[in-house]
Amino acid sequence: MMGPAHSLSGAAAWLGVGAAAAAAGHPMPWPVLLVGALICAGAALAPDLDHKAATISRAFGPVSRWLCEIVDKLSYAVYKATRKPGDPRRSGGHRTLTHTWLWAVLIGGGASVAAITGGRWAVLGILFVHMVLAIEGLLWRAARGSSSDVLVWLLAATSAWILGGILDQPGNGSSWLFPDPGQEYLWLGLPIVLGALVHDIGDALTVSGCPVLWPIPVGRKRWYPIGPPKAMRFRAGSWVELKVLMPVFMVLGGVGCAAALNFI
């Protein structure tokens, strides 16, 4: 799928988690619901850091382009080192390592560790990165073009500072789900894991499928492209994605938000 659909699906997924948490008796404070949805929307773009034309690879200027090259080479090296006889030969690392459940868990776990050990500035850094990606994904028309990059960064930095301050206030969610001392913001990794997995599921619906299960082998392949029957798949950017899935994500997100806040 394309960036806007990925971001919408990520936000809708976290709002759905908010609804489930409310139903289970662990309701999210509204700042956790809001921040988690934005983080998840941003994290839903992150697996495409292995592709030089992806939104995330352009979002942070030369830094993200440099990271893209490194991640692409790393992903390709891991693919070559772990492929089985049934896996095809390929010339790049797109839709390999960063499109797996293991990568999602590692990135989310790393963010949680950074949040609880790095203090406020680590939390603000995590928020800033994902606010940039959320803006690029959800407001993609307004964020187009290199001339808007600085404005996006300023908006993301301001949003991260304000939202971080709100979360720090008692009862607003810094200790949501993990209330013990020293576990503040441990939950930040959850929307990151979810966003990456939602991205992978979205890509699995497209023609090429997605090797979500790696390194678990399936038959003669270790990089088996998981997906529905071919007749049910679509091309990225097609009318199915734009006219069907994106409106569905919007409706599901709205319903999830209303349920999470006990409006329905």
Side-chain angles (χ1 to χ4, degrees):
M1 289 197 299
M2 305 298 287
H6 278 310
S7 286
L8 275 176
S9 66
W14 184 257
L15 294 172
V17 170
H26 296 283
M28 295 180 184
W30 71 265
V32 174
L33 187 69
L34 172 61
V35 172
L38 291 171
I39 290 176
C40 203
L45 297 179
D48 277 344
L49 188 57
D50 60 4
H51 193 298
K52 64 181 180 180
T55 301
I56 185 174
S57 300
R58 305 188 306 268
F60 300 94
V63 174
S64 54
R65 288 194 291 271
W66 174 71
L67 281 175
C68 172
E69 293 181 6
I70 293 177
V71 171
D72 179 47
K73 291 178 181 178
L74 172 64
S75 298
Y76 182 50
V78 172
Y79 181 86
K80 289 198 301 182
T82 62
R83 63 184 290 267
K84 294 186 70 176
D87 291 311
R89 296 185 179 277
R90 55 186 303 149
S91 58
H94 181 49
R95 284 205 187 183
T96 55
L97 179 61
T98 62
H99 288 67
T100 65
W101 69 269
L102 183 58
W103 178 271
V105 171
L106 290 175
I107 294 299
S112 287
V113 171
I116 63 176
T117 60
R120 177 173 173 76
W121 288 107
V123 171
L124 290 175
I126 294 169
L127 291 178
F128 169 73
V129 168
H130 290 89
M131 291 306 107
V132 169
L133 296 177
I135 293 168
E136 293 278 0
L138 298 174
L139 303 177
W140 62 282
R141 291 187 185 276
R144 278 182 175 179
S146 59
S147 60
S148 64
D149 285 348
V150 174
L151 293 178
V152 171
W153 300 338
L154 288 174
L155 177 58
T158 303
S159 301
W161 187 268
I162 293 172
L163 292 172
I166 293 173
L167 286 170
D168 281 340
Q169 296 175 14
N172 274 2
S174 62
S175 299
W176 176 73
L177 203 61
F178 301 98
D180 293 339
Q183 293 184 342
E184 294 82 4
Y185 293 109
L186 183 60
W187 62 268
L188 278 184
L190 298 179
I192 295 175
V193 173
L194 180 61
L197 291 177
V198 168
H199 177 109
D200 297 342
I201 293 170
D203 278 355
L205 298 176
T206 62
V207 173
S208 300
C210 188
V212 184
L213 295 181
W214 182 89
I216 302 171
V218 178
R220 298 178 65 249
K221 295 182 178 182
R222 193 178 301 278
W223 297 89
Y224 186 84
I226 297 296
K230 290 187 177 181
M232 298 176 61
R233 301 187 189 190
F234 57 88
R235 293 190 178 278
S238 69
W239 67 270
V240 175
E241 179 179 333
L242 300 176
K243 303 296 185 181
V244 178
L245 291 182
M246 289 181 67
V248 167
F249 295 150
M250 292 180 187
V251 172
L252 291 177
V255 172
C257 182
L261 297 175
N262 292 317
F263 290 141
I264 59 173

